Structures are given as structure tokens and as C-alpha cells.
Amino acid sequence: MDDQTKNLILAFALSLAVIMGWFALFPPAEPQPGDTVAQSELLPPPAAAAALGADGVAVAEPLVETARIEIDTPRLAGSIAVTGGRFDDIRLRDYTETVDPESDLVHLLNPSGGNRHPFYAFFGWSPRGALDYDLVPGPATPWQQVGDNALTLETPVTLQWDNGAGLIFTRVISVDADYMFTVAQEIENTTDTAVSLDPYSLIAQHGIPTDIQKYYISHEGLVQMTDGALLEADYGDMVDYPVSQSERIPTHETTATTNGWIGFTSKYFMATLVGAPGQAVTSVAQYVPGADIYQASLRQPTVTVQPGETASASSMLFTGAKEFAVLNHYQNDDNIERFTDAIDWGWFFFLTRPIFRVLNFYHGLIGNMGWAILALTLTLKAILLPLAWKSYVSMARMKELQPEMAALKERAGDDRQKLQQEMMKLYREKKVNPAAGCLPILLQIPIFFSLYKVIFVTIELRHAPWFWVFNDLSAPDPTSLFNLFGALPWAAPETGSLMATAFLGLLPLLFGASMWFQMRLNPAPADPMQATIFNWMPWIFMFVMGGFASGLLMYWIGNNVITFTQQYFIMRAHGSKPDIFGNIRASVRLPKGSKPK
């Protein structure tokens, strides 16, 4: 590398190669549709293998028509099915399906038999000893509500069921101001015999969700934490789990001594079962092949209730958006270990987390995510300015050494070892580090990828507006040359289509132009082929980047403008005045020697 322009082009090309190469080498597998079933097949956790039915599963009819308890909080809407006490109707008040504020609220949990993929949670007990499954609460238990109130922040809901054999079960459900339900289960033993039971909670998802994003950069599927160890598994991984000898379905089981949670996550939303901090729990992930159901359950220690006594167990259910502030609150204030890691920070978590924190800080300060991205860009460039300065000084010194380097090559001839030794000696004498020019490049690549990750996976960027028609910085540029950016009376091509790729939006065009102008700070290479490649490279990358998120394009436009400004003043400070207009005029003419014969 003999100048800053080549370094910046290399940084961009390598960064882009990392992302595009990853998708090329590891294309997402197409989800296979599951078998359509007429009924749900759910496997409550067994206390022992002998407690299972003949086929190893307990069958519950889909719940469509049942009495319901309304959920009414500032952030949640929906209902709980009284039959089974199922959490199967959860909508998020703060999030709509599209950028249109009148579109449907995001449905996170859905009942069986509806027009959305069934996704629900329920709580129950597994019997031990001679106690039968029919005598403990399960997915189809006919609970009775005590009172008739809705579930609100101020009014918990109480459910009760008498099994008719001396055991009375009570369930108290409460909810906080965000997305966490607490379910306290109690059992009263009025018999003359002690009973033992295992409390559990379970999330069931029928088939692979239809709205799965299928990007390897974002994890979607099972997520769990066991005593500080985070585990992520795709739906395909769950299918390939070893078959449990006792439960006879693919199963993965881990036991936490003090802290555990497990559930299913999409890019932005999550439903997770959480054990009480400090309590031992067993997390179990399973796949039911015959019904194409993915299950995540939390099994708590065995409870033994003596005659005339009462025992209880408690656990939690998170159903909401993966907002960093909310997850961080649960992690720090409620001691739910590593809950913020439900956000897929990726390999460069040591960069993505602080980058997000700075971006979130600017968003809170400015109130607009678009301007926050530009403020973040300026901050990153300011941090890297000393390195950029040192890089240019090093490259300037390397240019000064060119005559001496040419003389060394002439003296060494074909003796490459002698040439290398003489070059290293020259570098030491002149105190020049040839690698210093590449140091900013090494930081640019992970920073670019980390910002791409932050924009892609954090819900704070979802539907985040900037100005004008840019109302979702996580989505591609909605403008298009096809309708002159809205001036003509027809719609822009659909995002992702060939037409959308051909008729670029405003941001990709600005990106290509800013990159092209940045390259004009230096004269074109003397070699005609290199000059042609450098001349076309910005426009090629402009089309490649055209479908990327608007927020990422904003970052690169800002980065190009700031880099142009930095390099211009650094060059002036070292006595070199860039002939920008001369370089532009030279770039639009055919390089010398390239005229057709």
C-alpha cells in the first residue's frame, strides 16, 4: 500500500468480502415444512420413565374456544386461556408488523388452531410415585378463576383446580411493567399420604416460524443460559439431538445449580422461561417428530408435600422485545444472569456491545437514530484519527524512500534475500514502519462488521426513522431512480427485486459518489489497468451495497465524507496539496495507452 486511498479501498473490499463470503460459503438452509397435525402432541416432563403413557406423549386438543383472562398492561395485550392456563395470546403494544402505525401489533404467542403458527407456554406438575398424570395440572386442566378481574400491573390473577382426590392446586399469575410474568404454583395436600411432584414450565412452538429471517448473521431458534454458559441451537440442531431413552424423542438436557433460563428467540423478539435466581433448574430442549413441535422446558426440583401441608414453586416467563435496556434491567436488578446475551452480539461482541452502547447513548441524547449513526461515525473516526495520521506519515516516508528503494533493487538484482536484508536495514535507519499504513485497516474491518451486526440485530434500529421517507434504518433505501425518488406517480420496485437493484435509491448513489470523490484525493495509478479498476470500483460497490440497510449506508457515506476531510487536511499539514479537480479531470479521460487502435 503506497497511499491512503488504496488502504481505504482494501478495507472496504475486505469488509464486504467477509460478509458476502460468509453467506456464500454458509447459505441458510431452507426450513422444511412440518407435517400438518389435527392435534397437539405435548410431552410433559416425566418424573420417571414408568410414568409415561404407551406412546411416550400426552395428547391435548388444540385450544381455540375457551374462557379467557384478559391481559392489559402498558406494553402487553392479549389473553390467557383458562383451560390449561396457557399463555397463548400475547401482543406487543409498542411494535407493529410494518412501519405503518395502523398495521397489526406483533403477535408473539399464538394459540393452536389459529391462522398463525401456534406458539405458547404453560405450567404444570409432573407426578412421582403412584400419582397419575390425570391428578396433576397439565396442558388441558380445567382451571377456575378466583374472581373475574383482568391481569394488570395492579391485579394479579388467581386460578384454582381441585383434582377431586385431595389435592388442591392454586396458581397466581402476576406481570411487571415490561414483559415478565411471574407464575407462583401452590399445592395443598388434604390427603393422609405424602405426595411428590416436579413443577415445570414449557414453551411449545409448532413447526419453524413462517417469519424466520434465515440469515446466519442473526441467530433464531433455541437460546438458553446455564450457570453462565450460553447455548444457541438452530431448529435443525434440535432435530438432530440424541433420542432420550426415557422420553423417546430428540432431547438435550442441562442442569443449572444457581441460574438458568431457556426459550426461543427470533431476531427481535423472544419467549423465555426463567428460573428463580439462586435455584437449581434443569433446562430441556426437545423436538417431537410426529407433530413437528419444538419444545423448551424448565424443570424445577421435586416438591414433597406432607399430609395437611402446603408447598409452592415459582418461575417466570418473558414474552417480549429484546430491548437492551429491558434485558439489562432484568440482568442487573433481578439477577437473571447474561440476559442481555439473548441479543446475538456475534463473534465481535467486544466491539458490538460498546458500539451499540455509544449508538444508544447518542440516540437518547439526540432523539433520532439516523443522526445518532452519524454521530457514532464521527466518534469512531475521531478515535482512529491518531492512527490515520500515523498511517499517512508512514506512507509519506515510504514515498520519500522510493528512489533509494529503486537503487537497492538495481544493486540486488535477482538476490531477493539480499534485497530483503537491505530494505529492512533502510527501514531501521530511516525509522520507517512499512506495516503502520495498514494498522487502521485492521480496525476498520471488525468495526464495519460490528456496526453491520448492530444495525441488523438490535430492535432499537427496527422501524427507526431518520427523515423524509427513511422510516426504517434497518431496511434498504426505499427511494428509487425508477420514479425519480417519488417525483413520478408510480411506486418504486419491490425491495430485493432485480429492478430495485438496477434502479438504485438515493443513499447507494451518495455512497458511490462519496467513495469516488474520496479516491480523487490521489492521482490515478500509472498502470492503465489499475486506473480503470480504481475508476470503476466505487460504482461496482454502489450496486453491491444497494440492498444493504439504510443505516449501514448512512455510516459509510458519513465515513467517506469524514475520511475525505481528514485525509485532505493531513496531506496539507505535510506539505502536499491534493489536486482534486486535476485528478477528477484525469479520471474521466481514458488513461494513457488505453486508446483503441
Side-chain angles (χ1 to χ4, degrees):
M1 302 290 172
D2 61 355
D3 55 51
Q4 182 74 358
T5 299
K6 291 183 179 180
N7 275 352
L8 289 168
I9 292 172
L10 177 61
F12 184 84
L14 290 178
S15 301
L16 191 62
V18 170
I19 297 171
M20 305 305 293
W22 177 262
F23 293 133
L25 292 174
F26 304 100
E30 290 292 330
Q32 299 299 318
D35 299 330
T36 302
V37 293
Q39 58 186 11
S40 303
E41 295 184 62
L42 301 174
L43 180 61
L52 289 171
D55 59 355
V57 298
V59 178
E61 292 295 327
L63 300 178
V64 181
E65 298 296 334
T66 179
R68 292 190 168 272
I69 301 170
E70 182 186 3
I71 299 172
D72 184 12
T73 78
R75 310 206 68 183
L76 294 174
S79 60
I80 299 172
V82 174
T83 301
R86 290 196 191 200
F87 293 78
D88 62 358
D89 176 26
I90 300 292
R91 287 161 285 149
L92 309 183
R93 293 188 187 274
D94 296 332
Y95 297 94
T96 53
E97 296 285 358
T98 69
V99 292
D100 182 359
E102 300 301 319
S103 63
D104 290 343
L105 297 178
V106 168
H107 286 246
L108 184 57
L109 298 186
N110 304 291
S112 299
N115 57 4
R116 299 175 182 268
H117 72 275
F119 186 31
Y120 49 84
F122 61 88
F123 296 72
W125 299 81
S126 289
R128 281 187 174 271
L131 201 60
D132 190 77
Y133 268 105
D134 294 338
L135 298 178
V136 297
T141 298
W143 291 92
Q144 298 294 319
Q145 183 181 1
V146 178
D148 58 359
N149 60 286
L151 177 59
T152 68
L153 301 184
E154 297 79 20
T155 57
V157 164
T158 300
L159 301 177
Q160 198 168 72
W161 178 61
D162 188 334
N163 72 351
L167 299 180
I168 301 173
F169 296 88
T170 303
R171 181 175 297 172
V172 179
I173 304 170
S174 57
V175 63
D176 68 8
D178 289 307
Y179 304 118
M180 191 73 78
F181 296 92
T182 299
V183 180
Q185 300 193 86
E186 183 180 279
I187 175 174
E188 179 184 356
N189 184 4
T190 64
T191 70
D192 56 3
T193 305
V195 294
S196 295
L197 309 92
D198 296 338
Y200 73 89
S201 49
L202 185 146
I203 295 176
Q205 182 160 266
H206 291 227
I208 297 176
T210 56
D211 58 352
I212 191 171
Q213 295 282 321
K214 299 186 294 184
Y215 287 111
Y216 268 77
I217 193 174
S218 173
H219 171 69
E220 295 176 290
L222 183 80
V223 60
Q224 71 175 87
M225 192 283 303
T226 305
D227 286 340
L230 190 72
L231 170 68
E232 295 176 337
D234 298 330
Y235 293 105
D237 298 330
M238 296 181 67
V239 174
D240 295 332
Y241 282 153
V243 175
S244 167
Q245 292 185 354
S246 60
E247 304 183 25
R248 288 180 276 177
I249 58 174
T251 300
H252 181 269
E253 182 176 315
T254 55
T255 299
T257 56
T258 58
N259 211 314
W261 48 267
I262 185 172
F264 292 103
T265 180
S266 63
K267 185 165 75 170
Y268 296 127
F269 308 104
M270 178 175 67
T272 308
L273 302 166
V274 183
Q279 181 188 71
V281 291
T282 298
S283 299
V284 183
Q286 296 175 307
Y287 174 67
V288 184
D292 191 31
I293 296 177
Y294 299 86
Q295 296 183 171
S297 60
L298 207 63
R299 307 177 183 180
Q300 297 169 257
T302 301
V303 172
T304 299
V305 192
Q306 299 298 328
E309 294 186 358
T310 299
S312 63
S314 180
S315 60
M316 294 174 284
L317 171 66
F318 175 93
T319 58
K322 295 192 293 184
E323 301 166 6
F324 179 81
V326 172
L327 299 181
N328 197 50
H329 156 68
Y330 290 129
Q331 178 174 295
N332 294 333
D333 299 338
D334 296 342
N335 300 316
I336 302 176
E337 192 173 6
R338 294 192 66 178
F339 212 42
T340 56
D341 286 336
I343 301 171
D344 185 10
W345 300 110
W347 297 338
F348 295 111
F349 62 90
F350 51 89
L351 286 177
T352 51
R353 292 179 70 105
I355 284 176
F356 171 77
R357 283 182 177 271
V358 174
L359 181 61
N360 206 36
F361 167 77
Y362 282 133
H363 180 229
L365 192 66
I366 301 172
N368 181 287
M369 190 59 80
W371 301 121
I373 289 175
L374 295 179
L376 172 66
T377 307
L378 186 61
T379 301
L380 291 174
K381 296 301 291 184
I383 293 173
L384 295 177
L385 178 59
L387 289 177
W389 191 287
K390 185 176 180 180
S391 171
Y392 183 80
V393 170
S394 176
M395 287 187 292
R397 290 179 178 175
M398 289 289 292
K399 287 183 179 180
E400 294 171 359
L401 295 180
Q402 290 303 312
E404 296 182 57
M405 295 286 288
L408 284 178
K409 290 179 182 179
E410 186 174 343
R411 289 198 303 268
D414 295 332
D415 191 343
R416 298 185 64 85
Q417 184 175 0
K418 180 181 178 181
L419 175 62
Q420 188 70 19
Q421 291 173 348
E422 292 294 327
M423 286 173 58
M424 296 306 296
K425 181 180 178 182
L426 180 64
Y427 291 152
R428 286 193 299 269
E429 290 176 353
K430 300 297 183 179
K431 297 181 180 180
V432 173
N433 182 3
C438 295
L439 187 57
I441 308 302
L442 299 178
L443 292 177
Q444 282 276 18
I445 295 172
I447 286 174
F448 169 77
F449 188 81
S450 298
L451 185 64
Y452 175 65
K453 181 84 170 179
V454 166
I455 291 174
F456 192 82
V457 305
T458 55
I459 196 168
E460 285 77 5
L461 269 295
R462 180 184 186 266
H463 298 176
W466 182 25
F467 80 106
W468 191 31
V469 295
F470 299 99
N471 50 16
D472 186 358
L473 291 174
S474 68
D477 186 337
T479 65
S480 176
L481 272 171
F482 185 71
N483 61 1
L484 289 182
F485 314 115
L488 300 178
W490 52 75
E494 184 178 352
T495 300
S497 66
L498 183 61
M499 286 283 287
T501 303
F503 293 93
L504 294 173
L506 180 62
L507 291 181
L509 292 172
L510 290 175
F511 164 76
S514 64
M515 185 177 181
W516 187 81
F517 274 104
Q518 180 190 326
M519 294 172 64
R520 302 286 78 80
L521 282 170
N522 292 281
D527 181 71
M529 180 61 70
Q530 287 188 21
T532 301
I533 292 174
F534 273 52
N535 225 13
W536 281 98
M537 189 172 291
W539 314 118
I540 294 172
F541 282 145
M542 177 181 70
F543 282 96
V544 172
M545 292 284 288
F548 278 50
S550 301
L552 193 68
L553 285 169
M554 283 182 55
Y555 164 75
W556 269 109
I557 294 168
N559 182 78
N560 289 344
V561 172
I562 297 170
T563 300
F564 177 94
T565 307
Q566 282 184 349
Q567 187 178 348
Y568 180 86
F569 284 106
I570 291 174
M571 293 173 75
R572 292 294 300 266
H574 286 81
S576 175
K577 183 178 180 180
D579 185 11
I580 299 174
F581 293 105
N583 294 336
I584 292 175
R585 287 192 298 270
S587 68
V588 298
R589 296 195 300 265
L590 288 173
K592 184 179 179 181
S594 64
K595 288 186 177 181
K597 295 180 180 180

